[in-house]
Every structure is written in C-alpha cells, then in structure tokens.
C-alpha cells in the first residue's frame, strides 16, 4: 500500500470523526503540493486548525489523538501545513478544492487562502465594505504612486510601506516565536497590537531609500536619520534604513561605515527588548502566579526602558543627541536588557513554572557580577511574592490556597483549619540569606509541633496506645499470652496453608475478652496476621538490602512449608496522627520482636509440657528410671537456657528500655523528639535482642530448633512406652503370660530401653547425640555473644554470659 493512499485513509478517518466529508486522491495531491510551497507553521497554528476541524464536535481530544497517530506514521513531511490548509478549506461540511473558486469565506482565524487566478467579478451596485487589509493596500498603492509622481523615482516610498502590503497578505496569524505556553488566539491574529517585534512575512530583498541613497547625503543628515531609525528599532518598530523585524538587524549599505558600526554595537538591544517584551506580554495569559509575577517585574523594567527612549527622543528633537552620545546613554540599558532577556529566554524556551523559576533566579543571585546579582535579586523577590503568600498560609494557618498547583505541598485535607492560627506571623519576603525567613519558619514549626504534640498526648492518648502495643507485641500482658497460646497453639501448629484466618480471629477475640486485656480500650484494633515467611527469612531480606545478596533474598521464592507458629504475628489498625509515631516501619519492628519472643515462649511451653508428660516414670520401681535420667537432665538444661533467653529479652532489655523511654517522654517539647525517642527505643531493643546480627539470630534459631526436635523425640518415645505398657496389660488380661510374670511385673515392663524409629540407634545414644548437638550450638551462641559484645561495647548483652555461667 502506497504512503499516499495510507495518508488519504488516515486523513479521511480524521475528517469522519470531525464530521466532515471525505477527500479524494486528487484533492489530497493538490493539498500536499500546496503545503510544500508554504512556510513552516507553528504549533499554535496546528492547535487552532484542530479546533477548527472539530468545531461542533465535543471530543476535540479524539481529533488531536488521530492527528498524533498520523504524525507518528511519518507519511508526509509537511503534515502540519497540510492540516492547516485542510482546516482552511473545510467549511460547512463541504470540500472546496484548491483549483476551484469558492464564494464561502473560511471561518478559520488563520490567514485567508490566496484567491485563484480568475476574471474579476463586476462591482456591485451597493458599495462593499472593504476589509482592513484591502484599505491598507489601497492606501499604500496611492501613497506609492503619489511619491513616484513627485520624485520621478521608480522605487517605493519607504521600505516599511513597500513591505507592509506583502506582510499583511502573508501574515498567517503565526506567533512571534514558538511559545510553550497557551496564549489567546487574538494575540497571534493581530500581531501589530504588540510592542514586540513582528516577524511574520518574508524579508524584503533590500532596504531601498525613499528619495535617494542615504550615503549620498551629508554625514550630519545621515546621523540624524540613523538616530531616528535606531530610536524606532529600540521600540520594536522597523525604520526606513534599519530593519529588525526578521530577528536580525539589517542596515542600508550606503550609510557611513562609522555609523553602521555604532548601529551594530547597539543592535543587540533590539533583540533583547523583543525577547523581554514577548515574555512580558504572553506571561499575562500563562496559568501560574509565579510566572505572571515575573512578567509584571519585567514590565516594570520595560517601562523604565521606554522612559529612557522617550527622553532620548526628546533630546533628538532638540538637536542635542549625537550617535556617540546615544551609545553612551544606552550602554547601561544594554547590560540590563541582556540579563532580563537571558532570564526570559531560559524560562520561555524550557517552559519553567513556579519553583523552577525561583530556583533559576536564586542561582543567578549567587553567581555572576554584582549587577547581575542585584537585578536577579529584584526579579526573584517580585516573582516569589505569590509563592511566599502560599508559604505563609501553610506555615501559619495550615491551609494551602494554590489554584495552579505551584506549591511544593498539595492539600488533600477536606476538614477546615479555623482553629489553627500562629501567634507570630511575620510577612515572608525572599532573601538570598536563608536566615532571613528560616527564623520565622522555625518559630511557626515550633508552634505547630507543640500543637500537634498536645493533640497526640491529650486527644489521641499516644502513651495509652504505646502501652497497648507493648502489652501485646512485647508480651507485657502475661495472662493474655497464656490464654491466647492455650487457645490457638493447636491451630498454629498446623501448616500455614491449612490454617483458617477467621478461626484465629475468633480465638484472639475470645482470649482478649477472657483475660486482663478486656480493660484495654484499644484491644479491638488488634488483629492476627500470617506472613508467608519465617523470621529468619524476613531478617535476611532486611540485612541484604544494598548488598550483593539482595537479589538472591528478594527473588520470588517457592512457598515455604512453615507452621503457623513461625508465620504468626499481630497487626494493628492505626489512624492519623498516631500513625506518625506508629508508622509502618515501627510496626514492622514490633512484629519482628514479637515473632522472636513468641516462638521462644512456644519452645518454653513445649519443654514444660514435656516435663509434665514425663512424670509417668514415677510409677517405675527403684532403678527403673535410670535410662531416662540423661534425657531429663538435657530437658532441664534446654528449659533453663530458653527461660534465661526470655528473661534477658523481657526483663533486662525491653523493660529497662521502656522505663527509660517513659522518663524521657515526660520532657519532650515537639513531635520530632517523640519520633527520635521511639526510634531509639526500637533500635535498642532490636539490637539487644540479637535481631540485628544475622549470625546471632541464626544461632538462636538453631538452638530453638534443637529443643523442638528433642521434644518431638521424647514425645515419640513416650508413645512407644505407652504402647508397650498397653500390650502388656492386654497380655495379663488374657493370661497368656501369667506363668512368666513376677509380682514386680510393672518394673519388668518398664525396664526395657525405649527405641527410636531406627532399630540400630538406642534411646540413650540418641539422647547423647542431641546433648552434644545442643551443647555445641549453645557454646557457639555464647562465643558469638562474647565477640559481639566486646566489639560494640555492649555490657547488657555480655551480662547474658554470666547468667548462663551461673546456671551451668
């Protein structure tokens, strides 16, 4: 499929959505040929063309998307011009070809299409109202003919008059330069209403003199004429012998070389004025208070500049202004306008807004010469006025009035701020010295922080919430933990995939209402959670952040076959402003400490239950329990070790740290101090509970795993003994073994050694192996604690060594 045919299909699709008739291949070919001869168009013209095509169609964005899709196909190098011509040649759902004459005038605001070559129609009887361009053309033609008759010269009267007609005919409503800001259509349609330079239309071939070449006149006459032209150009208007309307200064070559050189020295001021004036005018229509304030500041400088031009013109009229004196007077303004034009051009070309503009001007205040710094300081002070007003309202009242979303904070709060008023609210003014307004911000912050602190402490009962968190997460509520584990332990011993969350919620609610926790006003905020990983995996992920092992730990892993005891934790519903303190990070730290303490408590309960179940050996005769003595001794060592670990973490770490936290909280004056103290509490507890060192945590986990394995082993051995006892009792009842049973038959039944699952390993050997394994892991833990305590001078952690040493 050819590109021309595809372009026709896409354009017909666009016209169909816009509600216009289709075009033929011949019409498209003529349109593309005409577009190739037209000058480049701006994005503003394209935008207006799309608006014209979608006239009467509510979905203008659909037309724009269709156009963007066609442009991405790159089917036509002149697509923008084709679209502009297409918008001009569509009127009233009818298509008008470029070769045929049309009586329907285009409704577009763009320049009219040149009329085709045809015989002129007879003039109507009733006088027709001429357009402004027709009147201007007639006046220019009459003026040209009159001057030709007077002078006898075939040249035009003046350069501006010679090119005025052509410019009016070819002026297509294009803006003076491609603007990144939306501007009203009339600013482009009526370019002569601006004080900036009009750059529409092709440049004239040469600057022709009105009567005779200026170089043929005396130097004094040349100087007076050039000064007048320069004064015109300084105001953005073309002179007779000097033109600046095309963006560069064009000087009649017959002028004296010395005068030409002086004009070239002054000429940068022409472009600077045009840039500043263009920004000052178009910033009026830009949505943004900062850019509008900057435009107003530039207009004040332009006003002073125009006053200077008027004063120079007065001197010129009085015959007191020479070219050298003009250059002397304009030198200060040249530097000023250069700085202003550079700022305007940077903001204009990059489409900067609000804080970006202020950052640009702030940087200019700190660099460059003194004149640049002072001028940019004035600009940033003027441009920062609306921004500072928003900042004042936010700092002193807590409200944000930002209709153009220029502020660094967005207001999403729907409640009122009637009760917020700062007692000290000085006006904020920009200054390069930060201390100028930092003091005011600090005072406002201190006031608002105290207000928020009172809200947290009094209305939101922050300390009550923290005590509630300590009860549940740090196992401060002893009877609740016992009640909860009694109810939930059978369910939590299942695999995580077999646990019903609703059942856990019901059991948790029952434990809360049948223990001392029923008096806690925040108990209803507690909920059970089952995480998909154990504590070791969670801590390894945290420790591996920004290390080479991070990818390995954070890569998607298979579902872990862990029990509910390893996955269980508590969750809490926290609302603002308490969530400032009990944020997600803080709750995660509480959860990690709870999981550590909870599993230790579970192992302790398992060892205690094992002691209760092993009391059956008291039924043995003298000497019948000797085979169990090593197992009971190992069980007691394990129980003592786990209890020492729990006592250390709860009584020697958590409780003293909490009491220190409470004491310091009574002296806080702002919220930042609360956050810092709470963060120190969590960090200290995590460190001293051996959660922040992977080697210590892994060793503790291995120690607890050995204890759980031993408990399971003894429970299996007890079941084996019960089965053997039951078999003997059944044999007695049947009389099968009556002759071989002695009076002390119970002792004889209990005396055989219990066996493990493997027939080759005896009960005593298994106990000895587990004893050696436990001792090895315990010694490794104590060595690691000793090394870590000495490296970090942690006397609290080293104290656990003396506890284990005293017990051993």
């Amino acid at each position: 499929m050819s590109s021309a045919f595809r372009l026709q299909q896409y354009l017909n699709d666009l016209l169909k959505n816009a509600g216009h008739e289709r075009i033929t291949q011949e019409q498209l070919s003529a349109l593309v040929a005409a577009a190739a001869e037209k000058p480049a168009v701006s994005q503003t013209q394209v935008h207006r063309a799309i608006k014209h095509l979608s006239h009467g169609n509510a979905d203008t964005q659909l037309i724009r998307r269709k156009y963007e899709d066609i442009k991405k196909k790159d089917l036509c190098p002149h697509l923008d011009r084709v679209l502009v011509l297409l918008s001009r040649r569509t009127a009233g759902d009818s298509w008008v070809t470029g070769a045929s004459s049309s009586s329907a005038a285009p409704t577009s605001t763009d320049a009219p299409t040149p009329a085709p070559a045809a015989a002129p129609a007879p003039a109507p009887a009733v006088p027709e109202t001429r357009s402004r361009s027709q009147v201007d053309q007639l006046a220019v033609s009459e003026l040209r003919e009159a001057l030709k008759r007077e002078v006898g010269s075939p040249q035009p009267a003046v350069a501006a008059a010679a090119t005025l007609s052509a410019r009016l005919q070819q002026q297509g409503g294009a803006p003076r330069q491609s603007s990144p800001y939306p501007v009203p259509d009339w600013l482009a349609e009526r370019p002569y209403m601006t004080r900036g330079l009009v750059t529409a239309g092709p440049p004239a071939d040469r600057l022709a003199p009105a009567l005779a070449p200026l170089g043929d006149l005396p130097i004094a006459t040349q100087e007076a004429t050039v000064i007048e032209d320069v004064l015109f150009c300084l105001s953005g208007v073309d002179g007779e012998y000097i033109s600046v309307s095309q963006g560069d200064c064009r000087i009649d070559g017959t002028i004296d070389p010395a005068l030409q050189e002086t004009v070239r020295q002054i000429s940068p001021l022409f472009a600077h004025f045009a840039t500043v004036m263009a920004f000052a005018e178009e910033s009026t229509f830009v949505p943004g208070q900062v850019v509008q304030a900057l435009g107003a500041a530039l207009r004040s400088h332009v006003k002073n500049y125009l006053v200077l031009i008027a004063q120079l013109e007065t001197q010129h009229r009085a015959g007191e202004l020479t070219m050298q004196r003009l250059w002397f007077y304009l030198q200060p303004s040249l530097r000023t306008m250069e700085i202003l034009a550079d700022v305007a051009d940077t903001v204009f070309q990059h489409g900067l807004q609000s804080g970006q503009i202020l950052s640009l001007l702030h940087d200019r205040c700190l660099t460059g010469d003194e004149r640049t710094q002072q001028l940019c300081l004035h600009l940033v002070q003027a441009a920062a006025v609306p921004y500072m007003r928003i900042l004042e309202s936010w700092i002193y009242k807590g409200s944000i009035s930002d209709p153009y979303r220029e502020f660094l904070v967005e207001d999403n709060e729907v409640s009122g701020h009637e009760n917020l008023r700062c007692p000290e609210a000085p006006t904020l003014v920009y200054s390069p010295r930060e201390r100028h307004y930092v003091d005011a911000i600090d005072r406002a912050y201190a006031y608002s922080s105290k207000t928020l602190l009172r809200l947290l402490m009094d209305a939101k009962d922050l300390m009550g919430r923290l005590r509630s968190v300590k009860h549940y997460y740090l196992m401060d509520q002893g009877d609740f933990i016992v009640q909860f584990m009694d109810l939930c332990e059978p369910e939590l011993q299942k695999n995580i995939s077999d646990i019903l969350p609703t059942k856990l919620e019901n059991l948790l609610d029952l434990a809360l209402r049948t223990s001392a926790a029923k008096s806690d006003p925040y108990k209803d905020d507690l909920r059970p959670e089952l995480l998909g990983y154990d504590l070791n995996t969670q801590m390894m992920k945290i420790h591996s952040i920004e290390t080479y092992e991070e990818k390995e730990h954070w890569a998607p892993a298979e579902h872990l076959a862990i029990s509910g005891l390893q996955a269980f934790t508590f969750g809490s519903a926290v609302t603002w402003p308490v969530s400032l303190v009990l944020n997600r990070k803080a709750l995660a730290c509480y959860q990690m400490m709870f999981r550590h303490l909870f599993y230790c408590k579970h192992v302790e309960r398992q060892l205690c239950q094992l002691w209760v179940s092993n009391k059956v050996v008291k039924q043995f005769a003298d000497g019948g329990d000797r085979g169990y003595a090593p197992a009971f001794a190992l069980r007691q060592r394990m129980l003592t070790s786990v209890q020492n670990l729990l006592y250390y973490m709860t009584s020697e770490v958590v409780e003293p740290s909490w009491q220190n936290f409470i004491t310091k909280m009574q002296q806080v004056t702002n919220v930042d101090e609360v956050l810092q103290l709470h963060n120190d509490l969590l960090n200290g507890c995590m460190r001293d509970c051996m959660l922040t060192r992977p080697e210590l945590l892994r060793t503790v986990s291995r120690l607890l795993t050995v204890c759980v394995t031993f408990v399971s082993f003894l429970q299996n051995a007890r079941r084996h003994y019960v089965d053997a006892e039951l078999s003997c009792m059944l044999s007695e009842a049947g009389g099968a073994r009556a002759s071989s049973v002695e009076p002390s038959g119970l002792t004889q039944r209990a005396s055989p050694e219990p066996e493990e699952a493997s027939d080759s390993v005896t009960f005593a050997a298994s106990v000895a192996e587990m004893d050696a394994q436990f001792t090895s892991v315990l010694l490794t833990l104590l060595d690691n604690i000793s090394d870590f305590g000495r490296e970090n001078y942690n006397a609290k952690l080293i104290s656990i060594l003396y506890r284990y040493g005293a017990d051993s």
Side-chain angles (χ1 to χ4, degrees), residues 431-476:
S431 171
R433 299 181 180 87
E434 295 181 355
R435 212 63 212 167
H436 180 77
Y437 46 81
V438 167
D439 292 338
I441 295 177
D442 287 342
R443 287 193 296 270
Y445 163 76
Y447 172 77
S448 60
S449 184
K450 288 181 181 178
T451 304
L452 179 58
L453 180 63
R454 288 196 299 269
L455 175 66
L456 281 170
M457 292 297 191
D458 301 337
K460 301 301 180 180
D461 190 21
L462 175 62
M463 297 310 299
R465 294 300 299 259
L466 292 177
R467 280 192 294 269
S468 176
V469 169
K470 178 175 180 283
H471 290 335
Y472 305 125
Y473 286 91
L474 303 182
M475 295 190 177
D476 187 34

Side-chain angles (χ1 to χ4, degrees), residues 619 720-730 746 749-750:
Q619 303 176 13
H720 177 78
Y721 168 76
V722 170
D723 292 342
E725 180 69 15
L726 180 60
S727 176
C728 291
M729 292 177 63
L730 292 175
L746 181 61
R749 289 194 300 270

